[in-house]
């Protein structure tokens, strides 16, 4: 959980529905509202809509959403990070590379092996 964004997962629809209800109840007690619910489980969408959850409807043409700075492809149920900037980054001076590596938003630490390697390489090559 980060501020008002919550990412969870479940093994089946029943478990996910139970988790959604508990999370919603818990946050309501703190006078906070979880909204913009997204799932790749069509059965769960139906159940949550019946209970008036604020669902983001899955457009057939849209398969990816940005979640905590990371792309989630909810059709394939996979996470990815945009890397097109790497080529441009490597053309820049070492100082810029280190500054950029320090500014990367990676709350979950998924790309920290990459950013640490960048820092190490810059340091190694003086």
């Amino acid at each position: 959980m980060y501020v008002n964004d919550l990412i969870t997962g479940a093994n089946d629809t029943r478990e996910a529905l139970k988790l959604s209800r508990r999370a919603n109840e818990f946050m309501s007690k703190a006078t906070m509202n979880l909204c913009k619910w997204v799932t790749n489980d069509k059965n769960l969408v139906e159940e949550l809509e019946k209970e008036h959850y604020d669902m983001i409807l899955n457009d057939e043409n849209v398969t990816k959403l940005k979640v905590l700075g990371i792309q989630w492809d909810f059709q394939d149920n996979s996470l990815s990070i945009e890397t097109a900037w790497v080529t441009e980054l490597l053309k820049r001076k070492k100082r810029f590379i280190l500054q950029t590596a320090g500014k990367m938003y990676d709350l979950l630490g998924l790309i920290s092996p990459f950013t640490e390697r960048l820092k190490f390489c810059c340091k190694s090559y003086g």
Side-chain angles (χ1 to χ4, degrees), residues 69-122:
I70 297 172
Q71 290 289 333
W72 173 43
D73 185 326
F74 51 86
Q75 296 298 325
D76 294 337
N77 203 23
S78 62
L79 299 174
S80 63
I81 298 169
E82 181 61 45
T83 58
W85 52 270
V86 174
T87 304
E88 182 62 30
L89 184 70
L90 295 175
K91 293 178 184 176
R92 306 287 178 163
K93 293 182 179 182
K94 176 176 75 170
R95 181 179 176 130
F96 178 76
I97 292 171
L98 291 172
Q99 287 174 342
T100 304
K103 293 178 184 178
M104 288 181 197
Y105 181 76
D106 181 27
L107 181 68
L108 300 175
L110 297 176
I111 62 171
S112 61
F114 173 76
T115 55
E116 291 304 312
R117 186 173 178 111
L118 266 180
K119 293 173 189 177
F120 179 76
C121 288
C122 285

Side-chain angles (χ1 to χ4, degrees), residues 1 19 22 25 38 41 54 57-58 63 88 101 118 120-121:
M1 178 146 203
L19 180 64
R22 288 183 66 208
E25 180 183 329
V38 180
D41 182 335
D54 183 16
L57 299 176
N58 297 342
T63 61
E88 182 62 30
L118 266 180
F120 179 76
C121 288

Side-chain angles (χ1 to χ4, degrees), residues 45-75:
V45 169
E46 290 177 17
E47 291 299 320
L48 293 176
E49 284 179 337
K50 285 179 190 175
E51 296 183 24
H52 306 290
Y53 280 68
D54 183 16
M55 300 296 298
I56 294 177
L57 299 176
N58 297 342
D59 182 345
E60 289 180 14
N61 298 323
V62 178
T63 61
K64 292 183 180 180
L65 294 172
K66 201 163 193 176
V67 179
L68 296 177
I70 297 172
Q71 290 289 333
W72 173 43
D73 185 326
F74 51 86
Q75 296 298 325

